[in-house]
Amino acid sequence: MKLHRHALVLAAAAAAFAAPGHAQQAAPLKVGLMLPATGTFAALGTAIDNGFRLYVAEQGGKLGGREIEYVRVDDESDPAKATDNVNKLIKRDNVDVIVGTVHSGVAMAMARAAKESGTLLIVPNAGAAAVTGPMCAPNIFRSSFSNWQPGYAMGEVAAKKGHKRMVTITWKYAAGDEAVQGFKEGFEKNGGKVIKELNLPFPNVEFQALLTEIASLKPDAVYTFFAGGGAVKFVKDYAGAGLKKSIPLYGAGFLTDGTLEAQGADADGLLTTLHYADSLGTPRDSAFRLAYVKAYKLQPDVYAVQGYDAAQMLSVGLAAVKGDVGKKAEFAAAVEKAKIDSPRGAFTVSKAHNPVQDIYLRQVVGKENKTIGVASKALADPARGCKM
Ligand code: BEZ
C-alpha cells in the first residue's frame, strides 16, 4: 500500500513535469577548467578563463539549453601532476567537458585521459602536435593552434627577408621543439639554414650563457618561442645584452602577446607571427575587445580569444545535440562543418580538429601587436599521425 502511494506520488510529479507550461529543466553542464593559476603561464590561464566565461555570459549563461557550471583546477603547468589533476575532474567531479590547458606537456596527459574515458576535451591553447596528430580523437578539439603553425609561417617570412643563417632559442619541451621544427621547415624549404638550436629547460630563465653564444655565432637573425613570464624576461635580456641592435629577433607571437606592458621599449619593433593581432579592426573583433575590457578592465590577448572560441566551439556542438554531450559523433560532425565566428577572423576546424586559420605577421608598435599582413592564408596543420 505504502509502495503504491509512493508510485502515485511519483507519477503525479512526472505528469506535472510533462504538462504544458512546465518545460523540463536540464541539469547544468559541468565544465572542468584545467588551467595554470600559478607559475610563468598564470596570466595566460586567467585570460583563457575570462574569454570562456565572457562568451557563456553573452549567451545568458547557457549553452545548448543547459546552464554552465564551472569546476576549476590549477595545473601549475606541471606535467608531473597532470594525470592526477585531470582525473580529479573526470572521476571525482564527473565533469561533462574539460577545457584546458596552456602547457603542451600537460595537455598531452589530458588528451590521453580524454581518449581513455571518452570525456569531451577542448584545448584552448597548448599547441602539442600529438593532440591533433597521433592522439587525435572524435572527442578531442583545439580552439587555438598547433605549435607548427606560427613557426612554419615565420620560417617563410624570414627566408623571404633574405636571411640565410639563423639560430633558434627556446625551452626544451614539446612546444619549443615543435615551434622550432615548424620554423625550420618553412625556413629551410625556402633556402635558409638553421645553424644552431639552443635551448634551456622549462621554465628556466637564465638566458645569459645562451645570449653570449648567439653573439659569438653571429647569425643573420634569431627565431624564438617563449611565452608568459619567460617571454618578458627573454625580450628584456636580449635587448640588455645589446643584441637587438645587431641581430634581428623573430618569434612565435606568444613572445609579445599579453607581455607588452612589462616588456616596454625593449619589445618595440619586434616581428612575430600569430593567428591574432591587436589591430584587426573588424566589427567582430572590436565588439569582442570592447566587451572584454568592460567585463574585466583588461585588454584581451590571443589567450582570451582562444578561451572565447573554446566556448563558441562547445556551443556549436551542444546546439547540434541539444545539450546531450553523449552524442559524440553528432557533436563532432557539427563542429567539423562549422565556421567559427572568431575575433581573430572566421576559421574552420580540420578533420583532425585543429583550426585552419590565417597567420598574421605582426609588429610591436608601442603597446600593440599591429597587423602588417597575412603571412600564411588558411594555414592547416599537417596533422601528421592522425588517423581519424
Ligand atoms: C604550449 O606549451 O603549447 C604553449 C605555451 C604557451 C604559449 C603557447 C604554447
Side-chain angles (χ1 to χ4, degrees):
M1 185 63 187
K2 206 172 162 207
L3 193 74
H4 182 65
R5 250 211 338 254
H6 182 64
L8 276 178
V9 170
L10 276 182
F17 211 52
H22 288 82
Q24 192 160 339
Q25 201 56 40
L29 186 97
K30 261 192 176 182
V31 174
L33 293 169
M34 181 160 152
L35 295 165
T38 48
T40 199
F41 291 159
L44 289 58
T46 303
I48 291 168
D49 186 320
N50 287 347
F52 191 95
R53 289 178 201 250
L54 176 62
Y55 183 78
V56 173
E58 286 175 355
Q59 312 314 305
K62 283 186 178 182
L63 301 181
R66 295 179 68 176
E67 294 281 347
I68 301 298
E69 189 179 296
Y70 297 100
V71 186
R72 174 115 198 212
V73 165
D74 175 11
D75 66 39
E76 303 169 51
S77 294
D78 186 350
K81 297 180 182 162
T83 302
D84 279 353
N85 278 329
V86 72
N87 280 330
K88 272 185 215 155
L89 290 173
I90 296 172
K91 297 181 180 157
R92 183 194 66 189
D93 300 323
N94 276 312
V95 299
D96 297 293
V97 186
I98 308 165
V99 175
T101 188
V102 170
H103 185 288
S104 274
V106 177
M108 285 192 273
M110 295 174 74
R112 205 168 301 120
K115 222 174 145 101
E116 279 166 18
S117 64
T119 312
L120 180 60
L121 168 66
I122 305 179
V123 178
N125 183 70
V131 169
T132 55
M135 300 175 86
C136 74
N139 59 315
I140 299 178
F141 299 84
R142 182 152 52 200
S143 66
S144 51
F145 60 90
S146 74
N147 293 316
W148 179 92
Q149 284 175 309
Y152 183 81
M154 185 50 101
E156 292 188 325
V157 169
K160 279 186 200 135
K161 284 192 175 294
H163 298 310
K164 294 287 178 223
R165 298 166 65 255
M166 283 184 67
V167 166
T168 61
I169 176 166
T170 188
W171 281 311
K172 184 82 203 133
Y173 82 110
D177 291 346
E178 292 167 11
V180 164
Q181 281 317 303
F183 173 80
K184 215 170 150 182
E185 201 180 316
F187 187 53
E188 298 197 340
K189 211 185 247 180
N190 289 282
K193 179 86 195 132
V194 170
I195 58 163
K196 185 100 193 190
E197 294 176 32
L198 300 171
N199 45 57
L200 72 172
F202 174 88
N204 198 325
V205 290
E206 297 311 316
F207 301 119
Q208 279 318 319
L210 298 173
L211 294 174
T212 304
E213 198 171 344
I214 290 173
S216 71
L217 286 164
K218 296 191 175 54
D220 297 344
V222 169
Y223 176 74
T224 188
F225 165 89
F226 289 110
V232 171
K233 174 114 185 342
F234 183 76
V235 164
K236 294 191 92 52
D237 285 4
Y238 196 84
L243 293 175
K244 194 177 170 213
K245 296 188 294 282
S246 51
I247 307 176
L249 177 65
Y250 299 100
F254 314 105
L255 187 69
T256 56
D257 231 82
T259 55
L260 291 176
E261 282 296 336
Q263 287 163 335
D266 290 339
D268 242 347
L270 290 182
L271 287 173
T272 63
T273 43
L274 205 62
H275 47 287
Y276 188 59
D278 294 319
S279 60
L280 295 176
T282 58
R284 181 70 180 100
D285 188 44
S286 302
F288 162 76
R289 294 185 75 93
L290 202 67
Y292 192 92
V293 170
K294 217 169 141 193
Y296 303 111
K297 315 279 173 277
L298 283 171
Q299 288 298 326
D301 54 21
V302 70
Y303 309 105
V305 171
Q306 294 167 172
Y308 190 82
D309 291 342
Q312 290 213 69
M313 286 166 68
L314 179 59
S315 177
V316 164
L318 285 178
V321 297
K322 302 201 167 42
D324 182 356
V325 277
K327 295 184 173 164
K328 288 179 201 144
E330 292 95 318
F331 184 103
V335 178
E336 283 171 25
K337 68 168 192 283
K339 203 166 198 182
I340 307 297
D341 187 18
S342 170
R344 74 186 84 169
F347 69 86
T348 55
V349 177
S350 70
K351 286 293 289 172
H353 297 170
N354 191 64
V356 177
Q357 56 194 340
D358 292 349
I359 306 292
Y360 302 101
L361 177 62
R362 310 119 38 98
Q363 182 159 38
V364 176
V365 180
K367 295 287 182 283
E368 283 201 345
N369 286 288
K370 292 260 185 214
T371 324
I372 294 189
V374 174
S376 200
K377 187 95 199 125
L379 186 64
D381 178 78
R384 292 169 185 133
C386 172
K387 298 199 176 63
M388 200 165 47

